[in-house]
Amino acid sequence: MPKPAAIAGQIVLYGAFAAFIGYFSTAPTYKQIPDDVALIKLSMSHLGGRDCRKRTAEELSKMPPNMRAPLDCPRGRSDIKLVLELDGKSMFETVMHPTGLSRDGVSTVYKRFEVKAGTYQLAVKMNDNLVNPGFNFIKEAQVTLKPAQVLVVDFNPDKGGLFFQQSAANKL
Amino acid sequence: MSLHAVLRGNAQTLFDNIENRFDDYFGGADNPLRHLGALGLYFLWILVASGLYLYTVLDTSIDGVYSSIDYLSREQWYLGGILRSLHRYAADAFVLVMMLHLVREWAHGRYYGFRLYSWVTGVPLIWLAYISGIGGYWITWDRLAQFSAIATTELLDWLPIFSEPAARNFLAPDSINDRFFTVLVFIHIGVPLMLILGLWAHVNRISRVDYLPSRRLMLATMISFLALALLKPALSDAPADLALVPTGLRLDWFMLFIHPLTDLSSPAAVWTLIFGATILLFALPFLPHPQTQPIAVVDAANCNGCARCHADCPYEAVTMALHPDKPGHRIAVVDADLCASCGICAGACPSSTPFRSQEKLVTGIDMPQQPVDEMRRQLEARLAPWGNQAGTPTPGKTRLVVFGCDQGADVRGLDAADTAAISLLCTGMLPPSFVEYALRSGADGIVVTGCREGGCEFRLGMQWTQERLARSREPHLRGLVPLQRLQVVHASRGDGGLLAAAVDEFRNRLETPGPQSIRPPAFSRRKIHHA
């Protein structure tokens, strides 16, 4: 092949290489969720309750002084029941199991739900000790979700248990 | 024929066709498709060099990480911005050539036998490249980084490896702290270091590794990256905001395609695909494949310990050891696991000369499936009817010997009354003395053909042959052989037409009176009927 033609061919091929790299390094653009959709992230990490028994005075007296713990608790933790409701309808319901071979670790959940932007009545109910009936933690509020907004449903005993978290300006 | 063999064959034909077309423009030495491994290594050095600068200016605090990187692109575009773009585009190009390299080696069937080690050590490098590449995107901590970090941790959480979901680290704006980016940078440096170590292991069993492609290829690809850096600089998206879902992402599809794939399918499907592909790649060498050829055999009595086979072996399969029978002498030893059965060692052996008078030619190192003695018998059988004739060949009666390669253009189709075609395991198996022997025993001209430049199946066969014939490498072609009677033709598989045309052109040239009329003195071998 004549040299000018070869050089022209090289320029075209290197140009195609650069164009290929350049294009696919940023395009086509990707949308993870549609424009009018918001996200609810339900995530928590919590130790389930334990069914403890109060030791009697007689039992405590038989124990070495340094080991006289007033409660006798099993190592394993309870499963945790969790319900998420949107506008009164159940959206998600699960029973979280403790981690660890001895079932003594935290119970965790991480789920995300795509919902149309708008105002909803959001409720979360949790029972962290299934020995007891019902739910010992309930959080319910009206939330307004803007498109692409993330609302986090989490649990933190220091924050009063269940809580909703949107952007800083809309913290509930 | 299995479906796999058909697929592989078609892929090889496709690669061959594209590479041959590229040769027209680039030539073999500068053809990027023939140097994908070296190109990948070159891109890695660009990544290391540009990354070192980016590391020095990176502020790993939660507030500074975005602005310190963004500053490079906006304010210091002439240095930091260009280096950042080089880092981005070299990374994408690295992934591209890595995957092409993988598919090309598979298409050529280079994954079993003596290549098993290189294949198996190459598979983890894909993981390391992607871990490093995806993690690198997080460091900018823009919307794309946020998306990738959340998508990756959600994918990881499907595996039972964390007691708490890793994605919880990105729940809300206050979920991460400064330490996160310090750890991330260490991972982004540590994993590439492992990659470099893995690459060292990957090429450990081959000799004369192409650590870098040709200067032209390096220059041209660098110019391509620089042009991209100026025309389409790598820029950050808006700063990460964990309170919002990033939308309209300018995704790097070379690195981050896995995230849309997960959204489209499921984490279970993606992990099945990833682990399935990895297991398949590891298992490929152990699936049915063509039988491996017999390896080179050393004859202790005829090995003089010159070490030329050791120097020429492309896979370091030949080492030198103390000779068992000759004190103070050395002997070649062949490692069965490394031998490619190419015969290049036989071509390098000074004992592989057909001028030796023994009836059975036994050389120092030889191939059982095509011994040098068999080559001589084949050549003599074809030369015998021609006799020794001096002077310019009569048109139509020019007698040519064509030495070809089983891996390159098929020479058997050229075989005719005036053309003796002998196909070798690799052209590198041809001792130069065979060229002289054929010319002095009745041939008018010799054609030596092998794979195109950069396309030798055994890496160095054609290169060594050319150097031997050009008298710049031992064993060299002797000075009494007129080079006008020798034609070297680069012709890969499927280049039969090109080879036939080159042979015709050479024949016509020989039939024209001129300097090419010079002939070496005739020779008739004295035969001794003992070893």
Side-chain angles (χ1 to χ4, degrees), chain B residues 2 4 111-112 283-290:
Chain B
S2 69
H4 174 234
Y111 54 84
Y112 61 89
L284 203 55
F286 306 101
L287 298 179
H289 52 70

Side-chain angles (χ1 to χ4, degrees), chain B residues 361-508:
Chain B
L361 176 57
V362 182
T363 186
I365 186 164
D366 211 347
M367 302 309 297
Q369 64 272 47
Q370 192 173 25
V372 172
D373 181 61
E374 180 58 34
M375 280 168 58
R376 185 173 73 171
R377 283 179 196 280
Q378 201 179 346
L379 181 63
E380 286 180 342
R382 295 306 313 273
L383 292 171
W386 293 352
N388 278 333
Q389 295 173 18
T392 304
T394 313
K397 291 187 177 175
T398 311
R399 297 147 307 184
L400 299 181
V401 175
V402 181
F403 290 106
C405 171
D406 288 347
Q407 313 296 330
D410 193 356
V411 298
R412 293 176 186 91
L414 298 170
D415 207 46
D418 59 355
T419 309
I422 298 174
S423 189
L424 310 173
L425 299 173
C426 169
T427 305
M429 190 185 177
L430 177 69
S433 50
F434 269 73
V435 173
E436 178 187 339
Y437 188 75
L439 280 174
R440 296 178 67 182
S441 305
D444 298 313
I446 309 294
V447 175
V448 176
T449 178
C451 301
R452 291 188 183 210
E453 196 175 0
C456 176
E457 178 67 16
F458 301 110
R459 299 182 57 238
L460 303 171
M462 201 54 185
Q463 184 185 337
W464 288 168
T465 303
Q466 281 187 285
E467 290 179 14
R468 289 168 190 163
L469 296 178
R471 296 159 183 153
S472 59
R473 185 176 195 83
E474 296 295 342
H476 66 261
L477 187 66
R478 291 207 293 178
L480 58 85
V481 177
L483 294 179
Q484 295 88 341
R485 290 189 176 274
L486 174 64
Q487 179 71 42
V488 176
V489 181
H490 288 274
S492 290
R493 223 164 52 108
D495 283 339
L498 184 149
L499 176 62
V503 170
D504 286 345
E505 193 268 329
F506 179 54
R507 192 189 299 275
N508 290 336

Side-chain angles (χ1 to χ4, degrees), chain B residues 228-384:
Chain B
L228 269 176
L230 291 170
L231 297 172
K232 193 170 181 289
L235 299 171
S236 299
D237 282 343
D241 181 357
L242 292 169
L244 294 172
V245 181
T247 54
L249 290 162
R250 299 184 306 127
L251 202 68
D252 182 336
W253 291 85
F254 295 102
M255 290 288 180
L256 306 177
F257 70 92
I258 201 166
H259 302 324
L261 188 63
T262 311
D263 288 342
L264 203 65
S265 54
S266 68
V270 169
W271 281 122
T272 305
L273 186 71
I274 292 172
F275 284 120
T278 305
I279 291 167
L280 182 67
L281 288 175
F282 275 124
L284 203 55
F286 306 101
L287 298 179
H289 52 70
Q291 207 169 12
T292 49
Q293 294 292 307
I295 62 162
V297 176
V298 176
D299 185 86
N302 284 280
C303 177
N304 66 8
C306 69
R308 286 177 191 163
C309 51
H310 165 68
D312 283 5
C313 178
Y315 302 100
E316 295 189 343
V318 183
T319 51
M320 303 305 295
L322 287 176
H323 200 292
D325 307 322
K326 301 176 187 171
H329 284 73
R330 294 189 302 163
I331 186 172
V333 178
V334 178
D335 186 330
D337 290 337
L338 302 182
C339 181
S341 310
C342 62
I344 290 175
C345 49
C349 183
S351 301
S352 299
T353 169
F355 289 100
R356 292 172 70 189
S357 51
Q358 283 89 345
E359 182 59 23
K360 182 174 171 58
L361 176 57
V362 182
T363 186
I365 186 164
D366 211 347
M367 302 309 297
Q369 64 272 47
Q370 192 173 25
V372 172
D373 181 61
E374 180 58 34
M375 280 168 58
R376 185 173 73 171
R377 283 179 196 280
Q378 201 179 346
L379 181 63
E380 286 180 342
R382 295 306 313 273
L383 292 171

Side-chain angles (χ1 to χ4, degrees), chain A residues 94-162:
Chain A
T94 188
V95 174
M96 298 143 59
H97 305 294
T99 52
L101 293 174
S102 304
R103 295 169 55 85
D104 57 346
V106 290
S107 300
T108 64
V109 67
Y110 179 91
K111 291 277 173 192
R112 57 187 172 97
F113 307 93
E114 293 177 13
V115 293
K116 291 271 185 192
T119 302
Y120 297 96
Q121 189 68 24
L122 185 65
V124 191
K125 300 171 186 173
M126 188 175 91
N127 180 352
D128 67 352
N129 193 341
L130 298 190
V131 173
N132 306 317
F135 296 99
N136 52 338
F137 293 98
I138 295 176
K139 171 75 181 175
E140 190 165 2
Q142 191 178 61
V143 294
T144 301
L145 296 169
K146 296 171 189 164
Q149 193 171 21
V150 178
L151 182 143
V152 175
V153 179
D154 201 348
F155 180 88
N156 186 340
D158 298 336
K159 292 184 179 179
L162 292 165

